[in-house]
Amino acid sequence: MEAGDRFGTTVAADAFHFAVGAPNEAIGTDADAGNLAVFSHRLNAGNPTPLFGLDQDLDAVSGGAETGDQFAAALALVPYRPSARRHRGVDPRRGRTGRGPEHRRREQDRRRHGPELPHHRRPGTYSQSPSYYSGTATDDVSGTSEAGDRFGAALTAVSTAPRAVSTAANLKLAVGLPDEAVGTTAKAGAITTFSLVGSPGANDRWFEAGNAGGIPGTPGANQRLGSSIHFTGTQLYVGMPNGPLTYGALYALPMSNVVSGTSTPATTYQPGKGGLPSAGVAFGHAAR
C-alpha cells in the first residue's frame, strides 16, 4: 500500500470473479502507471481469494508501464464461453486514460487509445486477446486516432446470452470517447460498440448526439458523451450530465440499435419529467 494508489477507483464483477483497479499505482519508478488485481469470490480466511495482478510491465501484457498511463482507470468484466464446455472464462477489459511520455510518435499515438482484453482461464491463468485502437491500421474500428480523445475512458460489456456459446451477436463492448471532437465541436464525445468475438469492424456502431444511433440533440462542445455508459441485457444506458439539457439526462438505447444498427429513438430520463424532481445538477453522471 502506498499513498495515492487509488486502489478501488474502478471495480468490475460477475458471478465468478471481480477485478479492482489501482490506476495511480507506481510500477517501478513509473508513477501513476496503474495496475489491477483479479479475485475470486471464494473466501480464504475470511477474505476473497486473489488470483493474479496485471500491469503493462508483464510479458503477457502488451505495451509497457509508463508514467501517467493510469492503466485500469476503466474496467469491465463479462462472462465468456468459447465453446459448449461447462466452464466459463471471464474477459476483464481495461482502459487507460492517462498518457505517458513515448520515444516514438507512432507508438505515442497508438498508446493514446484503446482497451486491452485479457481472457481469464481457471485456475487463475490468463491470456490476452487483441488490443483495439480507433482508426489505426491494426484494426477497423470506426473513428480516427487523435491526441486527447480518451478512447477507453469508460467501458461496459455485456453477454446477452451468458449460458450460450459467445458469438459476435451476444458478446458486446461499448467504449467511451468523452473528449472526441465531432467535426469542429471540441469534446462533444462519442461511443463506439463492437463485438468481443471476431473482427470488430464487421459489427461496430458509432454513436454521437443526433446521428442514427438514437441519442437526440446535436453535438455540443464539452458535452463529453461517452463518459457514463452501462450495458444491461436489453439496453445501453448513456448519461449526458453536461448538457444540452439543463440538469443533464440519461438515455436508454434499445439493444437492437447496438446489435443490428436500427435507429429506434432512445428513452429519455430527465429531471422534471416522469416523477423526477426538476432540480440538481449533472443527472446521468453515473449509470449503473
Side-chain angles (χ1 to χ4, degrees):
M1 294 184 294
E2 299 163 320
D5 281 346
R6 297 178 64 221
F7 181 83
T9 297
T10 52
V11 178
D14 73 356
F16 302 97
H17 307 89
F18 66 96
V20 182
N24 286 44
E25 170 76 21
I27 305 299
T29 59
D30 296 313
D32 302 335
N35 73 354
L36 65 86
V38 177
F39 301 82
S40 77
H41 295 304
R42 185 185 301 274
L43 296 182
N44 182 359
N47 296 311
T49 303
L51 298 177
F52 57 87
L54 294 176
D55 66 67
Q56 287 185 279
D57 270 359
L58 297 176
D59 291 340
V61 179
S62 64
E66 295 155 329
T67 299
D69 274 350
Q70 291 193 321
F71 181 82
L75 291 174
L77 198 66
V78 64
Y80 170 66
R81 185 191 290 267
S83 66
R85 63 182 182 171
R86 180 182 177 186
H87 169 60
R88 282 179 289 174
V90 182
D91 270 347
R93 314 290 164 184
R94 301 123 46 216
R96 292 169 293 171
T97 60
R99 308 291 170 250
E102 312 292 344
H103 297 292
R104 292 176 296 168
R105 178 66 181 174
R106 178 176 297 178
E107 185 69 358
Q108 182 183 52
D109 285 345
R110 186 179 74 83
R111 291 172 190 244
R112 288 182 187 277
H113 309 276
E116 297 176 359
L117 316 179
H119 171 214
H120 167 51
R121 294 181 172 89
R122 190 161 44 192
T125 62
Y126 60 88
S127 62
Q128 181 175 315
S129 299
S131 300
Y132 295 112
Y133 310 90
S134 60
T136 69
T138 58
D139 59 54
D140 51 0
V141 177
S142 295
T144 301
S145 293
E146 298 163 323
D149 281 347
R150 299 180 68 230
F151 180 88
L155 303 171
T156 181
V158 68
S159 173
T160 59
R163 289 182 172 82
V165 173
S166 297
T167 67
N170 63 32
L171 199 63
K172 294 292 182 180
L173 177 71
V175 180
L177 299 85
D179 286 358
E180 170 80 10
V182 178
T184 60
T185 305
K187 299 183 179 180
I191 301 164
T192 185
T193 66
F194 48 86
S195 179
L196 298 170
V197 176
S199 173
N203 50 65
D204 68 337
R205 310 291 177 204
W206 182 266
F207 298 86
E208 59 188 54
N211 76 349
I215 299 170
T218 57
N222 299 311
Q223 287 180 353
R224 292 186 170 88
L225 174 67
S227 61
S228 172
I229 52 179
H230 180 69
F231 262 132
T232 68
T234 58
Q235 293 173 310
L236 173 61
Y237 285 89
V238 177
M240 289 191 69
N242 301 313
L245 298 182
T246 301
Y247 303 117
L250 179 70
Y251 301 106
L253 298 173
M255 190 62 72
S256 58
N257 290 26
V258 176
V259 174
S260 57
T262 58
S263 187
T264 304
T267 300
T268 301
Y269 300 93
Q270 66 181 91
K273 294 187 176 180
L276 296 172
S278 56
V281 295
F283 184 84
H285 175 75
R288 294 291 183 270

